[in-house]
Amino acid sequence: MRPFERVILLLLGSLCGRWVLATEIEPRREYFYVGGTYKNITTGNTTDLYMLNQIYVEKFTPPHPSQPYPIVFIAGGGQTSTNFLETPDGRPGWLSYFISRGYTVYLTDQPSRGRSAWHPSQGPIYVFSATAISSQFTATSSHDQWPQAHLHTQWPGSGVPGDPIFDAFYATQVQSIFNRTLTEKLNTDSYTALLDRIGTGTIILTHSQSGPYGWRLGDVRPDLVKGIIALEPTGPPFENVFPTRSFWRVWGITDLEIDYEPSTGVNGTALNTTRIPAIDSDHSECILQADPPKKLKNLSRVPVLVVTAEASQHAVFDYCTVDYLRQAGVQVEFADLAKEGIKGNGHFMFMEKNNMEVADRVYRWLKQQ
Ligand SMILES: *[C@@H]1O[C@H](CO)[C@@H](O)[C@H](O)[C@H]1NC(C)=O
Ligand SMILES: *[C@@H]1O[C@H](CO)[C@@H](O)[C@H](O)[C@H]1NC(C)=O
Ligand SMILES: *[C@@H]1O[C@H](CO)[C@@H](O)[C@H](O)[C@H]1NC(C)=O
Ligand SMILES: *[C@@H]1O[C@H](CO)[C@@H](O)[C@H](O)[C@H]1NC(C)=O
Ligand SMILES: *[C@@H]1O[C@H](CO)[C@@H](O)[C@H](O)[C@H]1NC(C)=O
Ligand SMILES: *[C@@H]1O[C@H](CO)[C@@H](O)[C@H](O)[C@H]1NC(C)=O
């Protein structure tokens, strides 16, 4: 596989006195499935045994691992772990970057996604249309759907169907389960099984739709989650603002229960909220907790980095997620890329033209932990 960090050993041939052999040593690559459970499922008149919720995991071990904890990557909605292998225009992806920094990396596919099997009993699935991917992620400056959209310059290529780079990216889109609460439960269960199997403690990297699963894992296994890198996590708290205000996330950052202190009561009814006006017209208002805020009991033990790109729709509201986490006692560093001089990125910053510059920013945070 081309993009991996390579060590070239040149051995001098003893017999004819010339260079005869070039051996490449690449990271060790293994795969396994974890988290599957057997279930009897009835279809029509027949009941039979199936395995559900196992996730596909690829483990890459560098020749000389030098970091205390591996990184588990969880791609976002419609995506698989190809997001991090290479970029759609064939450059090395974040996998190569973090291997070159000495990290063991686990690339994964969410339950019922990519190489993790879906079963019809898990209900309807959806796939992003090419129009949605283009207008929201790869050619946002032509659509102007949010105030920062016109600042998008880092996507390689024109970002529209027919452009070979867009086509290569769109071809990687797969199905996602429609039911949000079911998906959150399946992801939490499967990735908890992965954390337990690794056993040594891990860094979790989430993107977008997988963001809430990172919060859940930090809640369920605070001793095994050594840090969370949340690239534009699903948000803002409680109520989505794009494209319109919609649905209510009962526990603020998650649909299912996450532990607060004092308790949020039955169905989260004791979680009191208040609306905070937007900081300016380029941003949305935020829903935070009313005083006195409850603390995220376990999650507050896990250091968090939130990364937000200049031209993404998340530039409108990710600051609310950061404020919410901090209010609830979580130690969060906010990499608001534009403010740090990293300009022009969209939601898929890890595959854009300057993807290694953004990776460097994440690495700087990891080194401080
Ligand atoms: C499935 O059904 C069989 C036959 O009733 C039973 O023996 C088995 O324990 C069941 N397995 C599970 C995982 O429920
Ligand atoms: C299920 O069983 C019923 C009753 O035996 C039968 O009428 C029906 O055709 C069966 N359905 C299928 C899909 O086999
Ligand atoms: C979604 O999944 C949850 C959890 O499994 C379930 O309780 C709920 O009924 C499902 N919703 C729909 C619309 O199927
Ligand atoms: C919180 O963390 C502890 C371990 O430190 C664990 O025993 C407990 O189950 C966690 N809470 C939840 C809600 O998972
Ligand atoms: C909690 O939510 C469940 C599911 O929506 C509902 O059945 C139950 O009545 C609720 N309980 C309270 C006390 O609100
Ligand atoms: C939360 O709100 C409820 C009802 O709106 C109110 O009765 C309760 O006192 C509030 N709790 C706190 C701690 O502010």
Side-chain angles (χ1 to χ4, degrees):
M1 296 189 77
R2 175 165 42 80
F4 299 141
E5 189 76 3
R6 290 172 171 179
V7 177
I8 309 293
L9 293 183
L10 296 173
L11 301 180
L12 189 62
S14 57
L15 288 180
C16 36
R18 56 194 172 92
W19 297 95
V20 292
L21 182 64
T23 305
E24 295 182 344
I25 298 177
E26 296 191 325
R28 188 148 61 99
R29 180 180 181 188
E30 300 154 274
Y31 88 92
F32 58 88
Y33 281 82
V34 67
T37 52
Y38 278 109
K39 197 174 168 189
N40 285 310
I41 297 176
T42 304
T43 313
N45 291 348
T46 316
T47 297
D48 217 331
L49 192 62
Y50 297 88
M51 183 183 277
L52 299 182
N53 310 337
Q54 66 274 24
I55 51 171
Y56 175 77
V57 181
E58 245 175 310
K59 178 185 183 185
F60 299 84
T61 311
H64 304 288
S66 59
Q67 304 289 351
Y69 303 115
I71 308 179
V72 172
F73 282 65
I74 315 177
Q79 313 301 308
T80 67
S81 54
T82 61
N83 271 200
F84 306 105
L85 273 175
E86 292 175 43
T87 69
D89 56 335
R91 290 170 293 114
W94 277 22
L95 170 66
S96 305
Y97 177 92
F98 286 99
I99 287 174
S100 77
R101 294 292 190 184
Y103 288 94
T104 295
V105 175
Y106 293 84
L107 295 188
T108 65
D109 288 351
Q110 289 186 25
S112 304
R113 182 85 71 76
R115 277 174 281 191
S116 308
W118 168 78
H119 188 274
S121 65
Q122 294 170 318
I125 50 180
Y126 67 89
V127 180
F128 286 122
S129 70
T131 319
I133 294 285
S134 182
S135 62
Q136 292 185 38
F137 305 125
T138 62
T140 71
S141 55
S142 316
H143 293 85
D144 252 2
Q145 293 183 15
W146 55 90
Q148 298 86 344
H150 68 283
L151 300 170
H152 193 203
T153 56
Q154 293 285 3
W155 181 262
S158 63
V160 299
D163 177 80
I165 299 170
F166 177 87
D167 296 346
F169 177 51
Y170 187 66
T172 70
Q173 304 301 302
V174 299
Q175 81 290 344
S176 301
I177 293 184
F178 197 74
N179 184 331
R180 288 190 354 259
T181 51
L182 175 61
T183 308
E184 188 176 310
K185 180 182 172 2
L186 300 184
N187 273 275
T188 306
D189 292 350
S190 306
Y191 283 94
T192 300
L194 175 59
L195 296 185
D196 290 345
R197 173 166 169 158
I198 296 172
T200 58
T202 60
I203 310 288
I204 309 271
L205 183 144
T206 62
H207 177 227
S208 199
Q209 173 251 3
S210 66
Y213 316 147
W215 312 142
R216 292 291 309 285
L217 292 169
D219 185 47
V220 176
R221 291 287 186 272
D223 302 311
L224 288 179
V225 179
K226 301 298 180 182
I228 298 174
I229 300 157
L231 309 174
E232 305 203 335
T234 285
F238 298 104
E239 210 174 51
N240 276 16
V241 298
F242 185 86
T244 52
R245 288 206 165 268
S246 58
F247 47 78
W248 189 256
R249 259 180 291 281
V250 175
W251 278 272
I253 49 176
T254 58
D255 284 309
L256 299 177
E257 185 162 7
I258 186 167
D259 220 3
Y260 287 81
E261 197 165 37
S263 161
T264 50
V266 179
N267 296 345
T269 44
L271 196 57
N272 286 356
T273 60
T274 181
R275 285 182 190 266
I276 309 290
I279 49 174
D280 60 37
S281 59
D282 289 348
H283 292 83
S284 69
E285 68 173 19
C286 300
I287 304 174
L288 299 183
Q289 290 188 63
D291 282 332
K294 300 177 192 299
K295 299 297 173 193
L296 282 159
K297 192 175 169 189
N298 277 0
L299 186 61
S300 60
R301 291 163 52 195
V302 179
V304 168
L305 175 72
V306 172
V307 182
T308 301
E310 179 176 39
S312 170
Q313 58 188 249
H314 280 251
V316 174
F317 53 76
D318 273 2
Y319 83 106
C320 302
T321 302
V322 171
D323 286 354
Y324 186 86
L325 289 167
R326 285 179 177 157
Q327 185 193 35
V330 184
Q331 179 210 321
V332 188
E333 183 165 309
F334 185 24
D336 189 354
L337 295 181
K339 288 197 175 139
E340 302 183 7
I342 302 177
K343 301 281 198 172
N345 285 108
H347 191 50
F348 286 86
M349 74 285 271
F350 46 82
M351 59 175 70
E352 293 193 314
K353 289 188 268 188
N354 61 345
N355 64 333
M356 293 306 171
E357 190 183 6
V358 183
D360 270 330
R361 173 62 183 88
V362 170
Y363 179 64
R364 282 207 303 281
W365 178 78
L366 284 171
K367 288 312 291 170
Q368 284 162 17
Q369 297 312 305

